[in-house]
Amino acid sequence: MFKESVVVVTGSSRGIGKAIAFAFAKEGASIVLNGRNSERLSETLGELKQVSANVVAVNADVSTEEGAKSLIDFALESFGKITYLINNVGISSRGNVGELDPKVIKAIFESNVYGTIFPTMMALPALRAEKGGVLFISSLAGIRGLPGLGPYSASKMTLRALVESIRIEEKNNGVYAGLLLVGITEVAHDKEVLGPDGNPRLLSPRSGRGVSTMTTVSKAALHMIRKRKFIKTLTFIGKINQLLNKLSPGLVEWIIQKNMAKFDERSK
Ligand SMILES: NC(=O)c1ccc[n+]([C@@H]2O[C@H](COP(=O)([O-])OP(=O)(O)OC[C@H]3O[C@@H](n4cnc5c(N)ncnc54)[C@H](OP(=O)(O)O)[C@@H]3O)[C@@H](O)[C@H]2O)c1
């Protein structure tokens, strides 16, 4: 199904975006990689070239209009079309809303909201021409606002509104839009989040029960696009959270409060 497809994956030099790029490349798609750190990006480009000859990389910050435009323009120059855009770029922070430096809120919204709206707007004409689509990578924090993750939760909830709008706006153009809500997932060894003061801090490695692998997430992304699914929530906790939050949001609040110590540990 993807042999003739051109797939642009924002933020694909490491982590989940990289795993998604590899999954589509293995299905025969042409891939456009993206990231800001040029060293990491060219390393990933070299690795992906072992899997597919049809891969290019664009060093661009998609949270800016110019960066998003250069990504989409380069994809079109390289392959002549774009079939799917995967909006994977996303950063997170730690700290209660009352303690945050305002620059943290700005950084999260620039990256997670502008960094998905700009590439989407710029890719839409090409996606219409191919009757392709756009997949947004969200999080369980996009179901319900989580303590210590306020701006991140708010930014991921924004993605739901965008997907809902685009699905209706673009239906007659044949453009698909979907939202993948990802649970806690293993992370690249050098993944950082912003502390309350705006300085980056390294995340601890994650593994074990309840932690998704990047392969699970990339398979879900492939499946969603193949089936043109609207929304998919990953992990058992995610599905329960989704259901309980609809039935009894007060109960979910109580559960989170009762488990704050465990929750804090998992967010490190
Ligand atoms: N890991 C989890 O547990 C988890 C759970 C739920 C949802 N998610 C979501 O999944 C997505 C990927 O997460 P991840 O853990 O794989 O992240 P990650 O390891 O930090 O990777 C992020 C990627 O995006 C790139 N990037 C960041 N900002 C960018 C920008 N403005 N322009 C272009 N590239 C940019 C990074 O490279 P450079 O820094 O070099 O630009 C990197 O390639 C995010 O949307 C995240 O919110 C993750």
Side-chain angles (χ1 to χ4, degrees), residues 1-3 5 7 9 16-31 84-86 135-137 176 179-180 182 214-229 232 234:
M1 173 177 172
F2 296 112
K3 285 205 165 58
S5 299
V7 182
V9 189
I16 291 170
K18 177 176 172 181
I20 292 175
F22 270 75
F24 276 96
K26 284 179 187 156
E27 295 285 323
S30 302
I31 305 292
Y84 298 107
L85 167 68
I86 319 277
L135 180 67
F136 292 74
I137 305 298
Y176 154 78
L179 183 72
L180 178 58
V182 176
M214 291 187 202
T215 310
T216 306
V217 180
S218 61
K219 277 189 181 159
L222 263 176
H223 179 75
M224 280 195 78
I225 288 188
R226 202 173 258 140
K227 302 284 179 196
R228 297 204 153 209
K229 283 206 169 276
K232 187 174 174 64
L234 296 183

Side-chain angles (χ1 to χ4, degrees), residues 138-183:
S138 184
S139 156
L140 303 191
I143 299 172
R144 162 163 200 116
L146 297 175
L149 294 170
Y152 180 69
S153 281
S155 71
K156 291 299 190 183
M157 283 188 188
T158 305
L159 302 189
R160 170 144 189 163
L162 274 173
V163 172
E164 287 174 350
S165 299
I166 292 169
R167 280 180 71 83
I168 297 172
E169 290 166 1
E170 297 298 327
K171 194 172 174 36
N172 291 340
N173 295 322
V175 174
Y176 154 78
L179 183 72
L180 178 58
L181 297 138
V182 176

Side-chain angles (χ1 to χ4, degrees), residues 13-14 16 36-37 61 88 152 156 185 191 206:
S13 59
R14 75 171 177 205
I16 291 170
R36 294 162 305 176
N37 178 314
D61 179 349
N88 169 73
Y152 180 69
K156 291 299 190 183
T185 302
K191 177 165 166 124
R206 298 164 175 173

